[in-house]
Amino acid sequence: MKKKQLLIAGGAGFIGSHFCDHFLQKGDCRVLCADNLITGQEKNIAHLYSNPDFCFLKQDVIESFDVPGEIDFVLNLASPASPVDYQRYPIETLKAGSFGTWNLLELSARKKAVFLLASTSEIYGDPQVHPQKEDYWGNVNSVGPRSCYDEAKRYAESLTLFYHQQYGVPVRIARIFNTYGPRMRLNDGRALPNFMTQALQNEDLTVFGKGLQTRSFCYVEDMVLGLERLLFSGETMPVNLGNPEEIPIIDFAQTVIRLTGSKSAITYRPLPKDDPMLRRPDISMAKELLGWVPKIGLEEGLKKTIPYFAENAKNVL
Ligand code: UDP
């Protein structure tokens, strides 16, 4: 049987590299991973270099590019995604969402491939509707510090939809909510890598504001399965993917302290501008259309994640 050919842009990143692993483990796929390594890391994919079905291409998707042969699926996960990263690289992030998405859609049209956009819960901004359903238009500050990411992804969704309507490209749009697990960069600035490294070093955990803002964290294995279901579905409209188990950030910090057996205390830092106060996905669409629900609860997922941070935190001591 002919193997499916996948191009995974951003395949050296946190979610992208788990996606590469997942498809290669199935045995019926070949994976071409394209990444400019701005926030992705070669060590996430180095174990795949000896696999004949895997190929790495150091490529910035904001430049137009072509690849030889057939491609059946193009997955666009190429963008800085943590607030610290995208605020450090705002123009690169805007270009990844616009030119990057455009180039990958053009490639999909040429290759007659299915295109999947990794969009985000950030398109809902600081939401006034809770939990967030796909038909909510969001509350985004177009000139705020998060706008480089939020607006790039909103534009990317629109571009994706119109490539489908105008050129018939089969598209999928995943709105990915907070996801965590092994291979997050220790210094990516997100709550989970910060709390884990701080707890494992018995340093104070830095909670922003009073920690009453909420998030809903999905373990990466669940996310990969949800993305796969969406890819193979016929759904062209955006679908939320995330774990609806919602937790205030202060409770999240305390859970990390407890599960790591840390002696850390908590210190409070100012709440960053435009930090969303609430976030929880309504995943009824994913349940109905894809038959997907996340299976790994927060404590179980954190326990699976601790060994990775314990191993890697040693190197930053
Ligand atoms: N946060 C925190 N301490 C940190 C890092 C983040 O309290 O050291 C908070 C942040 O203000 C936000 C939440 O944790 O309310 C989640 O932040 P993260 O950067 O993980 O992602 P976001 O969901 O904001 O994109």
Side-chain angles (χ1 to χ4, degrees), residues 297-310:
L298 184 60
E299 293 219 0
E300 188 188 349
L302 287 174
K303 284 182 194 155
K304 284 165 163 287
T305 307
I306 289 168
Y308 162 80
F309 280 95

Side-chain angles (χ1 to χ4, degrees), residues 3 9 28 43 47-48 91 102 126-127 139 145 150 157 196 207 214 221 226 231 244 252 260 281 291 294:
K3 293 192 173 182
D28 63 347
K43 67 176 183 188
H47 62 287
L48 299 174
I91 303 294
W102 193 341
D126 187 10
N139 176 37
D150 302 7
E157 284 197 2
M196 280 278 180
V207 167
T214 67
E221 258 173 51
L231 185 66
F252 184 55
T260 51

